[in-house]
Amino acid sequence: MLADQTLHWPGGDCRLFVGVALNPAQQQQMAAVLATLPAGLKPVPAENLHLTLRFLGQSSETQARALWAQLRATSLPVFSVRLEQLLCWPGPKVLCLAGEITDPALRDLDASISQAAASAGYPLSQHPLHPHLTLARGAKQFPQSPVTVPALQVQPTELHLYQSVSTPAGVRYPILASLPLVMA
Ligand code: 2AM
């Protein structure tokens, strides 16, 4: 499927982030894993699984379009990352499957996104990129009971601009625009 490079703006200011999705087989695999997480954790809905590459926060349409135009004009490399470490981050209280950046293409992509974000006027990122897949929220500490999560080799083909929308039924992440990641 060809990425829809058009940016569909929903109106007003929006909370945004740039990220990638799992492929459908991985999403299904992780949906089964989410269903086995210990009680007390709040698994994320499988359709919300994503890797955040850059959190942008509240954004105007003008700023988002400037960012996306710059990314559209950039060659965005396809990358691979292995997520294999189960971590509990007590600050945001999330359980996540994390990995290290070993593929230079991911460093290049991160640099391109940071450059585009800076020139569109977004503030500098507070943390260096640490690839991770948030599996559950409400994780004050590492679960007492054993959690088995398979390692995941993620190699996305598209970069997405996501909106984060809070609704009474929970948070949703509609995709506002996508760009293809290309072989170097
Ligand atoms: P994460 O679960 O991949 O860390 C939408 O709000 C998404 O942006 C969240 O699911 C979270 O992604 C990320 N996010 C939210 N607030 C953030 C912040 N202050 N800094 C970095 N990432 C944030």
PDB file of all heavy atoms in Angstrom, residues 15-18 44 48 50-57 89 92 94 96 125-127 130 132-135 137 162-165 171-173, ligand 1:
ATOM      1  N   ARG A  15      -2.466  17.204  19.709  1.00  0.00           N
ATOM      2  CA  ARG A  15      -1.317  16.549  20.358  1.00  0.00           C
ATOM      3  C   ARG A  15      -0.775  15.512  19.375  1.00  0.00           C
ATOM      4  O   ARG A  15      -1.531  14.662  18.878  1.00  0.00           O
ATOM      5  CB  ARG A  15      -1.812  15.880  21.636  1.00  0.00           C
ATOM      6  CG  ARG A  15      -0.765  15.218  22.485  1.00  0.00           C
ATOM      7  CD  ARG A  15      -1.486  14.636  23.713  1.00  0.00           C
ATOM      8  NE  ARG A  15      -0.700  13.678  24.438  1.00  0.00           N
ATOM      9  CZ  ARG A  15       0.102  13.976  25.461  1.00  0.00           C
ATOM     10  NH1 ARG A  15       0.205  15.234  25.878  1.00  0.00           N
ATOM     11  NH2 ARG A  15       0.774  13.037  26.085  1.00  0.00           N
ATOM     12  N   LEU A  16       0.512  15.600  19.070  1.00  0.00           N
ATOM     13  CA  LEU A  16       1.077  14.798  17.975  1.00  0.00           C
ATOM     14  C   LEU A  16       2.326  14.035  18.401  1.00  0.00           C
ATOM     15  O   LEU A  16       3.031  14.436  19.323  1.00  0.00           O
ATOM     16  CB  LEU A  16       1.499  15.714  16.815  1.00  0.00           C
ATOM     17  CG  LEU A  16       0.464  16.625  16.171  1.00  0.00           C
ATOM     18  CD1 LEU A  16       1.138  17.470  15.092  1.00  0.00           C
ATOM     19  CD2 LEU A  16      -0.681  15.820  15.583  1.00  0.00           C
ATOM     20  N   PHE A  17       2.592  12.971  17.678  1.00  0.00           N
ATOM     21  CA  PHE A  17       3.903  12.330  17.761  1.00  0.00           C
ATOM     22  C   PHE A  17       4.208  11.648  16.438  1.00  0.00           C
ATOM     23  O   PHE A  17       3.292  11.334  15.660  1.00  0.00           O
ATOM     24  CB  PHE A  17       4.009  11.361  18.947  1.00  0.00           C
ATOM     25  CG  PHE A  17       3.076  10.183  18.920  1.00  0.00           C
ATOM     26  CD1 PHE A  17       3.515   8.933  18.526  1.00  0.00           C
ATOM     27  CD2 PHE A  17       1.747  10.307  19.313  1.00  0.00           C
ATOM     28  CE1 PHE A  17       2.672   7.831  18.530  1.00  0.00           C
ATOM     29  CE2 PHE A  17       0.887   9.213  19.329  1.00  0.00           C
ATOM     30  CZ  PHE A  17       1.351   7.978  18.933  1.00  0.00           C
ATOM     31  N   VAL A  18       5.500  11.449  16.188  1.00  0.00           N
ATOM     32  CA  VAL A  18       5.957  10.750  14.988  1.00  0.00           C
ATOM     33  C   VAL A  18       6.371   9.352  15.417  1.00  0.00           C
ATOM     34  O   VAL A  18       7.062   9.183  16.426  1.00  0.00           O
ATOM     35  CB  VAL A  18       7.161  11.490  14.358  1.00  0.00           C
ATOM     36  CG1 VAL A  18       7.720  10.706  13.178  1.00  0.00           C
ATOM     37  CG2 VAL A  18       6.755  12.898  13.915  1.00  0.00           C
ATOM     38  N   VAL A  44      -2.251  -1.894  26.879  1.00  0.00           N
ATOM     39  CA  VAL A  44      -2.707  -0.934  25.868  1.00  0.00           C
ATOM     40  C   VAL A  44      -3.538  -1.723  24.848  1.00  0.00           C
ATOM     41  O   VAL A  44      -3.255  -2.904  24.608  1.00  0.00           O
ATOM     42  CB  VAL A  44      -1.534  -0.198  25.171  1.00  0.00           C
ATOM     43  CG1 VAL A  44      -0.625   0.477  26.176  1.00  0.00           C
ATOM     44  CG2 VAL A  44      -0.718  -1.122  24.315  1.00  0.00           C
ATOM     45  N   ASN A  48      -3.405   0.225  19.446  1.00  0.00           N
ATOM     46  CA  ASN A  48      -2.624   1.415  19.831  1.00  0.00           C
ATOM     47  C   ASN A  48      -1.122   1.149  19.858  1.00  0.00           C
ATOM     48  O   ASN A  48      -0.339   2.067  20.106  1.00  0.00           O
ATOM     49  CB  ASN A  48      -3.034   1.896  21.225  1.00  0.00           C
ATOM     50  CG  ASN A  48      -4.294   2.736  21.199  1.00  0.00           C
ATOM     51  OD1 ASN A  48      -4.878   2.943  20.136  1.00  0.00           O
ATOM     52  ND2 ASN A  48      -4.736   3.210  22.346  1.00  0.00           N
ATOM     53  N   HIS A  50       2.582   0.997  19.109  1.00  0.00           N
ATOM     54  CA  HIS A  50       3.406   1.807  18.197  1.00  0.00           C
ATOM     55  C   HIS A  50       4.758   2.038  18.841  1.00  0.00           C
ATOM     56  O   HIS A  50       4.908   1.838  20.050  1.00  0.00           O
ATOM     57  CB  HIS A  50       2.730   3.168  17.954  1.00  0.00           C
ATOM     58  CG  HIS A  50       2.686   3.991  19.209  1.00  0.00           C
ATOM     59  ND1 HIS A  50       1.636   3.934  20.101  1.00  0.00           N
ATOM     60  CD2 HIS A  50       3.601   4.834  19.756  1.00  0.00           C
ATOM     61  CE1 HIS A  50       1.889   4.720  21.132  1.00  0.00           C
ATOM     62  NE2 HIS A  50       3.082   5.278  20.951  1.00  0.00           N
ATOM     63  N   LEU A  51       5.717   2.480  18.040  1.00  0.00           N
ATOM     64  CA  LEU A  51       6.995   2.964  18.579  1.00  0.00           C
ATOM     65  C   LEU A  51       7.036   4.465  18.346  1.00  0.00           C
ATOM     66  O   LEU A  51       6.960   4.911  17.187  1.00  0.00           O
ATOM     67  CB  LEU A  51       8.177   2.360  17.816  1.00  0.00           C
ATOM     68  CG  LEU A  51       8.757   1.044  18.305  1.00  0.00           C
ATOM     69  CD1 LEU A  51       7.895  -0.104  17.840  1.00  0.00           C
ATOM     70  CD2 LEU A  51      10.165   0.888  17.756  1.00  0.00           C
ATOM     71  N   THR A  52       7.129   5.211  19.412  1.00  0.00           N
ATOM     72  CA  THR A  52       7.263   6.662  19.275  1.00  0.00           C
ATOM     73  C   THR A  52       8.707   6.985  18.916  1.00  0.00           C
ATOM     74  O   THR A  52       9.630   6.591  19.629  1.00  0.00           O
ATOM     75  CB  THR A  52       6.898   7.367  20.602  1.00  0.00           C
ATOM     76  OG1 THR A  52       5.562   7.031  20.953  1.00  0.00           O
ATOM     77  CG2 THR A  52       7.020   8.881  20.470  1.00  0.00           C
ATOM     78  N   LEU A  53       8.897   7.687  17.813  1.00  0.00           N
ATOM     79  CA  LEU A  53      10.259   8.123  17.467  1.00  0.00           C
ATOM     80  C   LEU A  53      10.496   9.558  17.928  1.00  0.00           C
ATOM     81  O   LEU A  53      11.620   9.941  18.239  1.00  0.00           O
ATOM     82  CB  LEU A  53      10.495   8.003  15.956  1.00  0.00           C
ATOM     83  CG  LEU A  53      10.444   6.571  15.410  1.00  0.00           C
ATOM     84  CD1 LEU A  53      10.782   6.551  13.929  1.00  0.00           C
ATOM     85  CD2 LEU A  53      11.381   5.637  16.173  1.00  0.00           C
ATOM     86  N   ARG A  54       9.411  10.364  17.931  1.00  0.00           N
ATOM     87  CA  ARG A  54       9.552  11.748  18.403  1.00  0.00           C
ATOM     88  C   ARG A  54       8.196  12.230  18.906  1.00  0.00           C
ATOM     89  O   ARG A  54       7.234  12.290  18.132  1.00  0.00           O
ATOM     90  CB  ARG A  54      10.036  12.628  17.241  1.00  0.00           C
ATOM     91  CG  ARG A  54      10.210  14.088  17.599  1.00  0.00           C
ATOM     92  CD  ARG A  54      11.259  14.266  18.715  1.00  0.00           C
ATOM     93  NE  ARG A  54      12.035  15.480  18.573  1.00  0.00           N
ATOM     94  CZ  ARG A  54      11.589  16.678  18.946  1.00  0.00           C
ATOM     95  NH1 ARG A  54      10.393  16.825  19.458  1.00  0.00           N
ATOM     96  NH2 ARG A  54      12.388  17.730  18.786  1.00  0.00           N
ATOM     97  N   PHE A  55       8.149  12.551  20.197  1.00  0.00           N
ATOM     98  CA  PHE A  55       6.931  13.137  20.756  1.00  0.00           C
ATOM     99  C   PHE A  55       6.958  14.641  20.467  1.00  0.00           C
ATOM    100  O   PHE A  55       7.963  15.304  20.724  1.00  0.00           O
ATOM    101  CB  PHE A  55       6.871  12.870  22.263  1.00  0.00           C
ATOM    102  CG  PHE A  55       5.658  13.451  22.916  1.00  0.00           C
ATOM    103  CD1 PHE A  55       4.396  12.921  22.667  1.00  0.00           C
ATOM    104  CD2 PHE A  55       5.775  14.532  23.771  1.00  0.00           C
ATOM    105  CE1 PHE A  55       3.268  13.456  23.265  1.00  0.00           C
ATOM    106  CE2 PHE A  55       4.654  15.075  24.376  1.00  0.00           C
ATOM    107  CZ  PHE A  55       3.392  14.535  24.124  1.00  0.00           C
ATOM    108  N   LEU A  56       5.882  15.174  19.896  1.00  0.00           N
ATOM    109  CA  LEU A  56       5.846  16.590  19.519  1.00  0.00           C
ATOM    110  C   LEU A  56       5.002  17.412  20.482  1.00  0.00           C
ATOM    111  O   LEU A  56       5.205  18.622  20.611  1.00  0.00           O
ATOM    112  CB  LEU A  56       5.271  16.745  18.101  1.00  0.00           C
ATOM    113  CG  LEU A  56       6.073  16.052  16.989  1.00  0.00           C
ATOM    114  CD1 LEU A  56       5.275  16.014  15.699  1.00  0.00           C
ATOM    115  CD2 LEU A  56       7.407  16.769  16.765  1.00  0.00           C
ATOM    116  N   GLY A  57       4.040  16.783  21.127  1.00  0.00           N
ATOM    117  CA  GLY A  57       3.153  17.516  22.032  1.00  0.00           C
ATOM    118  C   GLY A  57       2.124  18.320  21.267  1.00  0.00           C
ATOM    119  O   GLY A  57       1.849  18.071  20.087  1.00  0.00           O
ATOM    120  N   TRP A  89       9.220   1.348  33.584  1.00  0.00           N
ATOM    121  CA  TRP A  89       9.668   2.717  33.851  1.00  0.00           C
ATOM    122  C   TRP A  89       8.755   3.311  34.914  1.00  0.00           C
ATOM    123  O   TRP A  89       7.563   3.585  34.642  1.00  0.00           O
ATOM    124  CB  TRP A  89       9.630   3.547  32.558  1.00  0.00           C
ATOM    125  CG  TRP A  89      10.756   3.218  31.628  1.00  0.00           C
ATOM    126  CD1 TRP A  89      11.953   2.648  31.959  1.00  0.00           C
ATOM    127  CD2 TRP A  89      10.803   3.424  30.210  1.00  0.00           C
ATOM    128  NE1 TRP A  89      12.745   2.489  30.842  1.00  0.00           N
ATOM    129  CE2 TRP A  89      12.063   2.959  29.755  1.00  0.00           C
ATOM    130  CE3 TRP A  89       9.922   3.946  29.283  1.00  0.00           C
ATOM    131  CZ2 TRP A  89      12.456   3.014  28.420  1.00  0.00           C
ATOM    132  CZ3 TRP A  89      10.301   4.004  27.954  1.00  0.00           C
ATOM    133  CH2 TRP A  89      11.555   3.543  27.523  1.00  0.00           C
ATOM    134  N   PRO A  92       6.729   7.205  34.160  1.00  0.00           N
ATOM    135  CA  PRO A  92       5.436   7.146  33.444  1.00  0.00           C
ATOM    136  C   PRO A  92       4.617   5.892  33.793  1.00  0.00           C
ATOM    137  O   PRO A  92       3.506   5.732  33.307  1.00  0.00           O
ATOM    138  CB  PRO A  92       5.852   7.128  31.969  1.00  0.00           C
ATOM    139  CG  PRO A  92       7.266   6.643  31.942  1.00  0.00           C
ATOM    140  CD  PRO A  92       7.888   7.004  33.261  1.00  0.00           C
ATOM    141  N   VAL A  94       5.051   2.680  33.025  1.00  0.00           N
ATOM    142  CA  VAL A  94       4.739   1.829  31.874  1.00  0.00           C
ATOM    143  C   VAL A  94       5.620   0.585  31.884  1.00  0.00           C
ATOM    144  O   VAL A  94       6.769   0.607  32.347  1.00  0.00           O
ATOM    145  CB  VAL A  94       4.905   2.565  30.505  1.00  0.00           C
ATOM    146  CG1 VAL A  94       3.936   3.717  30.381  1.00  0.00           C
ATOM    147  CG2 VAL A  94       6.331   3.006  30.267  1.00  0.00           C
ATOM    148  N   CYS A  96       7.291  -1.823  29.212  1.00  0.00           N
ATOM    149  CA  CYS A  96       7.553  -1.739  27.773  1.00  0.00           C
ATOM    150  C   CYS A  96       8.609  -2.757  27.356  1.00  0.00           C
ATOM    151  O   CYS A  96       9.373  -3.270  28.172  1.00  0.00           O
ATOM    152  CB  CYS A  96       7.960  -0.329  27.368  1.00  0.00           C
ATOM    153  SG  CYS A  96       9.467   0.226  28.117  1.00  0.00           S
ATOM    154  N   SER A 125      13.959  17.576  21.953  1.00  0.00           N
ATOM    155  CA  SER A 125      13.470  16.404  22.660  1.00  0.00           C
ATOM    156  C   SER A 125      14.119  16.342  24.041  1.00  0.00           C
ATOM    157  O   SER A 125      15.298  16.668  24.196  1.00  0.00           O
ATOM    158  CB  SER A 125      13.844  15.168  21.843  1.00  0.00           C
ATOM    159  OG  SER A 125      13.233  14.050  22.374  1.00  0.00           O
ATOM    160  N   GLN A 126      13.320  15.921  25.054  1.00  0.00           N
ATOM    161  CA  GLN A 126      13.867  15.907  26.419  1.00  0.00           C
ATOM    162  C   GLN A 126      14.796  14.724  26.660  1.00  0.00           C
ATOM    163  O   GLN A 126      15.644  14.765  27.545  1.00  0.00           O
ATOM    164  CB  GLN A 126      12.722  15.875  27.432  1.00  0.00           C
ATOM    165  CG  GLN A 126      12.014  17.221  27.522  1.00  0.00           C
ATOM    166  CD  GLN A 126      10.713  17.128  28.286  1.00  0.00           C
ATOM    167  OE1 GLN A 126      10.180  16.048  28.509  1.00  0.00           O
ATOM    168  NE2 GLN A 126      10.199  18.289  28.662  1.00  0.00           N
ATOM    169  N   HIS A 127      14.591  13.653  25.878  1.00  0.00           N
ATOM    170  CA  HIS A 127      15.393  12.439  26.087  1.00  0.00           C
ATOM    171  C   HIS A 127      15.911  11.946  24.741  1.00  0.00           C
ATOM    172  O   HIS A 127      15.228  12.076  23.737  1.00  0.00           O
ATOM    173  CB  HIS A 127      14.546  11.316  26.690  1.00  0.00           C
ATOM    174  CG  HIS A 127      13.806  11.732  27.917  1.00  0.00           C
ATOM    175  ND1 HIS A 127      14.428  11.890  29.129  1.00  0.00           N
ATOM    176  CD2 HIS A 127      12.503  12.039  28.118  1.00  0.00           C
ATOM    177  CE1 HIS A 127      13.546  12.275  30.022  1.00  0.00           C
ATOM    178  NE2 HIS A 127      12.365  12.376  29.432  1.00  0.00           N
ATOM    179  N   HIS A 130      14.987   6.154  22.758  1.00  0.00           N
ATOM    180  CA  HIS A 130      15.158   4.797  23.297  1.00  0.00           C
ATOM    181  C   HIS A 130      13.991   3.977  22.725  1.00  0.00           C
ATOM    182  O   HIS A 130      12.867   4.075  23.215  1.00  0.00           O
ATOM    183  CB  HIS A 130      15.116   4.820  24.832  1.00  0.00           C
ATOM    184  CG  HIS A 130      15.461   3.491  25.443  1.00  0.00           C
ATOM    185  ND1 HIS A 130      15.614   3.291  26.784  1.00  0.00           N
ATOM    186  CD2 HIS A 130      15.679   2.277  24.865  1.00  0.00           C
ATOM    187  CE1 HIS A 130      15.910   2.018  27.019  1.00  0.00           C
ATOM    188  NE2 HIS A 130      15.945   1.389  25.883  1.00  0.00           N
ATOM    189  N   HIS A 132      11.096   1.699  22.044  1.00  0.00           N
ATOM    190  CA  HIS A 132      10.317   0.853  22.956  1.00  0.00           C
ATOM    191  C   HIS A 132       8.875   0.773  22.494  1.00  0.00           C
ATOM    192  O   HIS A 132       8.378   1.667  21.797  1.00  0.00           O
ATOM    193  CB  HIS A 132      10.368   1.412  24.383  1.00  0.00           C
ATOM    194  CG  HIS A 132       9.682   2.735  24.521  1.00  0.00           C
ATOM    195  ND1 HIS A 132      10.300   3.927  24.187  1.00  0.00           N
ATOM    196  CD2 HIS A 132       8.436   3.052  24.917  1.00  0.00           C
ATOM    197  CE1 HIS A 132       9.462   4.921  24.392  1.00  0.00           C
ATOM    198  NE2 HIS A 132       8.311   4.426  24.830  1.00  0.00           N
ATOM    199  N   LEU A 133       8.273  -0.302  22.919  1.00  0.00           N
ATOM    200  CA  LEU A 133       6.866  -0.540  22.630  1.00  0.00           C
ATOM    201  C   LEU A 133       6.162  -0.570  23.981  1.00  0.00           C
ATOM    202  O   LEU A 133       6.420  -1.467  24.791  1.00  0.00           O
ATOM    203  CB  LEU A 133       6.764  -1.907  21.947  1.00  0.00           C
ATOM    204  CG  LEU A 133       5.469  -2.340  21.313  1.00  0.00           C
ATOM    205  CD1 LEU A 133       5.152  -1.474  20.100  1.00  0.00           C
ATOM    206  CD2 LEU A 133       5.585  -3.805  20.879  1.00  0.00           C
ATOM    207  N   THR A 134       5.321   0.413  24.231  1.00  0.00           N
ATOM    208  CA  THR A 134       4.587   0.408  25.511  1.00  0.00           C
ATOM    209  C   THR A 134       3.533  -0.685  25.464  1.00  0.00           C
ATOM    210  O   THR A 134       2.696  -0.715  24.558  1.00  0.00           O
ATOM    211  CB  THR A 134       3.957   1.786  25.772  1.00  0.00           C
ATOM    212  OG1 THR A 134       5.013   2.743  25.888  1.00  0.00           O
ATOM    213  CG2 THR A 134       3.134   1.791  27.053  1.00  0.00           C
ATOM    214  N   LEU A 135       3.601  -1.590  26.465  1.00  0.00           N
ATOM    215  CA  LEU A 135       2.668  -2.721  26.507  1.00  0.00           C
ATOM    216  C   LEU A 135       1.534  -2.478  27.490  1.00  0.00           C
ATOM    217  O   LEU A 135       0.411  -2.941  27.283  1.00  0.00           O
ATOM    218  CB  LEU A 135       3.413  -4.002  26.930  1.00  0.00           C
ATOM    219  CG  LEU A 135       4.575  -4.432  26.052  1.00  0.00           C
ATOM    220  CD1 LEU A 135       5.261  -5.649  26.648  1.00  0.00           C
ATOM    221  CD2 LEU A 135       4.090  -4.740  24.639  1.00  0.00           C
ATOM    222  N   ARG A 137       0.110   0.186  30.980  1.00  0.00           N
ATOM    223  CA  ARG A 137       0.271   1.341  31.865  1.00  0.00           C
ATOM    224  C   ARG A 137      -0.090   0.910  33.285  1.00  0.00           C
ATOM    225  O   ARG A 137      -0.508  -0.226  33.501  1.00  0.00           O
ATOM    226  CB  ARG A 137      -0.626   2.478  31.379  1.00  0.00           C
ATOM    227  CG  ARG A 137      -0.267   2.861  29.945  1.00  0.00           C
ATOM    228  CD  ARG A 137      -0.885   4.149  29.455  1.00  0.00           C
ATOM    229  NE  ARG A 137      -0.534   4.336  28.046  1.00  0.00           N
ATOM    230  CZ  ARG A 137       0.620   4.839  27.612  1.00  0.00           C
ATOM    231  NH1 ARG A 137       1.518   5.269  28.482  1.00  0.00           N
ATOM    232  NH2 ARG A 137       0.874   4.950  26.323  1.00  0.00           N
ATOM    233  N   TYR A 162       1.172  10.721  13.992  1.00  0.00           N
ATOM    234  CA  TYR A 162       0.016  10.288  14.772  1.00  0.00           C
ATOM    235  C   TYR A 162      -0.557  11.469  15.557  1.00  0.00           C
ATOM    236  O   TYR A 162       0.190  12.303  16.070  1.00  0.00           O
ATOM    237  CB  TYR A 162       0.404   9.254  15.819  1.00  0.00           C
ATOM    238  CG  TYR A 162       0.777   7.877  15.334  1.00  0.00           C
ATOM    239  CD1 TYR A 162       2.109   7.555  15.091  1.00  0.00           C
ATOM    240  CD2 TYR A 162      -0.182   6.890  15.186  1.00  0.00           C
ATOM    241  CE1 TYR A 162       2.466   6.260  14.704  1.00  0.00           C
ATOM    242  CE2 TYR A 162       0.173   5.599  14.791  1.00  0.00           C
ATOM    243  CZ  TYR A 162       1.491   5.300  14.554  1.00  0.00           C
ATOM    244  OH  TYR A 162       1.843   4.030  14.174  1.00  0.00           O
ATOM    245  N   GLN A 163      -1.865  11.458  15.696  1.00  0.00           N
ATOM    246  CA  GLN A 163      -2.519  12.344  16.659  1.00  0.00           C
ATOM    247  C   GLN A 163      -2.815  11.505  17.903  1.00  0.00           C
ATOM    248  O   GLN A 163      -3.090  10.298  17.792  1.00  0.00           O
ATOM    249  CB  GLN A 163      -3.833  12.875  16.075  1.00  0.00           C
ATOM    250  CG  GLN A 163      -4.522  13.887  16.976  1.00  0.00           C
ATOM    251  CD  GLN A 163      -5.908  14.262  16.469  1.00  0.00           C
ATOM    252  OE1 GLN A 163      -6.417  13.672  15.515  1.00  0.00           O
ATOM    253  NE2 GLN A 163      -6.517  15.232  17.110  1.00  0.00           N
ATOM    254  N   SER A 164      -2.751  12.121  19.049  1.00  0.00           N
ATOM    255  CA  SER A 164      -3.156  11.430  20.281  1.00  0.00           C
ATOM    256  C   SER A 164      -4.445  12.091  20.754  1.00  0.00           C
ATOM    257  O   SER A 164      -4.457  13.279  21.067  1.00  0.00           O
ATOM    258  CB  SER A 164      -2.039  11.592  21.319  1.00  0.00           C
ATOM    259  OG  SER A 164      -2.479  11.091  22.553  1.00  0.00           O
ATOM    260  N   VAL A 165      -5.518  11.318  20.749  1.00  0.00           N
ATOM    261  CA  VAL A 165      -6.838  11.869  21.085  1.00  0.00           C
ATOM    262  C   VAL A 165      -7.365  11.173  22.337  1.00  0.00           C
ATOM    263  O   VAL A 165      -7.482   9.942  22.356  1.00  0.00           O
ATOM    264  CB  VAL A 165      -7.857  11.617  19.944  1.00  0.00           C
ATOM    265  CG1 VAL A 165      -9.159  12.346  20.214  1.00  0.00           C
ATOM    266  CG2 VAL A 165      -7.288  11.999  18.600  1.00  0.00           C
ATOM    267  N   VAL A 171      -7.695   6.455  25.015  1.00  0.00           N
ATOM    268  CA  VAL A 171      -6.911   7.222  24.046  1.00  0.00           C
ATOM    269  C   VAL A 171      -6.915   6.504  22.692  1.00  0.00           C
ATOM    270  O   VAL A 171      -6.984   5.272  22.627  1.00  0.00           O
ATOM    271  CB  VAL A 171      -5.483   7.457  24.602  1.00  0.00           C
ATOM    272  CG1 VAL A 171      -4.708   6.176  24.654  1.00  0.00           C
ATOM    273  CG2 VAL A 171      -4.729   8.495  23.834  1.00  0.00           C
ATOM    274  N   ARG A 172      -6.886   7.299  21.628  1.00  0.00           N
ATOM    275  CA  ARG A 172      -6.806   6.747  20.263  1.00  0.00           C
ATOM    276  C   ARG A 172      -5.662   7.465  19.557  1.00  0.00           C
ATOM    277  O   ARG A 172      -5.370   8.619  19.870  1.00  0.00           O
ATOM    278  CB  ARG A 172      -8.102   7.025  19.472  1.00  0.00           C
ATOM    279  CG  ARG A 172      -9.317   6.249  19.923  1.00  0.00           C
ATOM    280  CD  ARG A 172     -10.461   6.431  18.923  1.00  0.00           C
ATOM    281  NE  ARG A 172     -10.724   7.832  18.608  1.00  0.00           N
ATOM    282  CZ  ARG A 172     -10.497   8.400  17.417  1.00  0.00           C
ATOM    283  NH1 ARG A 172     -10.017   7.713  16.400  1.00  0.00           N
ATOM    284  NH2 ARG A 172     -10.773   9.681  17.216  1.00  0.00           N
ATOM    285  N   TYR A 173      -5.058   6.773  18.589  1.00  0.00           N
ATOM    286  CA  TYR A 173      -3.941   7.368  17.853  1.00  0.00           C
ATOM    287  C   TYR A 173      -4.204   7.350  16.346  1.00  0.00           C
ATOM    288  O   TYR A 173      -3.568   6.569  15.611  1.00  0.00           O
ATOM    289  CB  TYR A 173      -2.643   6.607  18.158  1.00  0.00           C
ATOM    290  CG  TYR A 173      -2.254   6.571  19.614  1.00  0.00           C
ATOM    291  CD1 TYR A 173      -1.859   5.381  20.218  1.00  0.00           C
ATOM    292  CD2 TYR A 173      -2.287   7.725  20.397  1.00  0.00           C
ATOM    293  CE1 TYR A 173      -1.491   5.338  21.554  1.00  0.00           C
ATOM    294  CE2 TYR A 173      -1.922   7.691  21.737  1.00  0.00           C
ATOM    295  CZ  TYR A 173      -1.532   6.500  22.306  1.00  0.00           C
ATOM    296  OH  TYR A 173      -1.170   6.472  23.630  1.00  0.00           O
TER     297      TYR A 173
HETATM  298  P1  2AM B   1       5.181   5.761  24.174  1.00  0.00           P
HETATM  299  O1  2AM B   1       4.129   4.953  24.841  1.00  0.00           O
HETATM  300  O2  2AM B   1       5.722   5.161  22.939  1.00  0.00           O
HETATM  301  O3  2AM B   1       6.241   6.231  25.143  1.00  0.00           O
HETATM  302  C1  2AM B   1       1.117   9.629  22.698  1.00  0.00           C
HETATM  303  O4  2AM B   1       0.853  10.444  23.771  1.00  0.00           O
HETATM  304  C2  2AM B   1       2.402   8.853  22.879  1.00  0.00           C
HETATM  305  O5  2AM B   1       3.488   9.745  22.950  1.00  0.00           O
HETATM  306  C3  2AM B   1       2.435   8.058  24.180  1.00  0.00           C
HETATM  307  O6  2AM B   1       1.899   6.772  23.973  1.00  0.00           O
HETATM  308  C4  2AM B   1       3.879   8.024  24.482  1.00  0.00           C
HETATM  309  O7  2AM B   1       4.453   7.033  23.647  1.00  0.00           O
HETATM  310  C5  2AM B   1       4.406   9.325  23.924  1.00  0.00           C
HETATM  311  N1  2AM B   1       4.506  10.396  24.906  1.00  0.00           N
HETATM  312  C6  2AM B   1       3.528  10.968  25.609  1.00  0.00           C
HETATM  313  N2  2AM B   1       4.008  11.954  26.388  1.00  0.00           N
HETATM  314  C7  2AM B   1       5.338  12.005  26.158  1.00  0.00           C
HETATM  315  C8  2AM B   1       6.394  12.827  26.635  1.00  0.00           C
HETATM  316  N3  2AM B   1       6.188  13.814  27.505  1.00  0.00           N
HETATM  317  N4  2AM B   1       7.631  12.585  26.172  1.00  0.00           N
HETATM  318  C9  2AM B   1       7.860  11.609  25.299  1.00  0.00           C
HETATM  319  N5  2AM B   1       6.900  10.807  24.794  1.00  0.00           N
HETATM  320  C10 2AM B   1       5.654  11.002  25.214  1.00  0.00           C
END
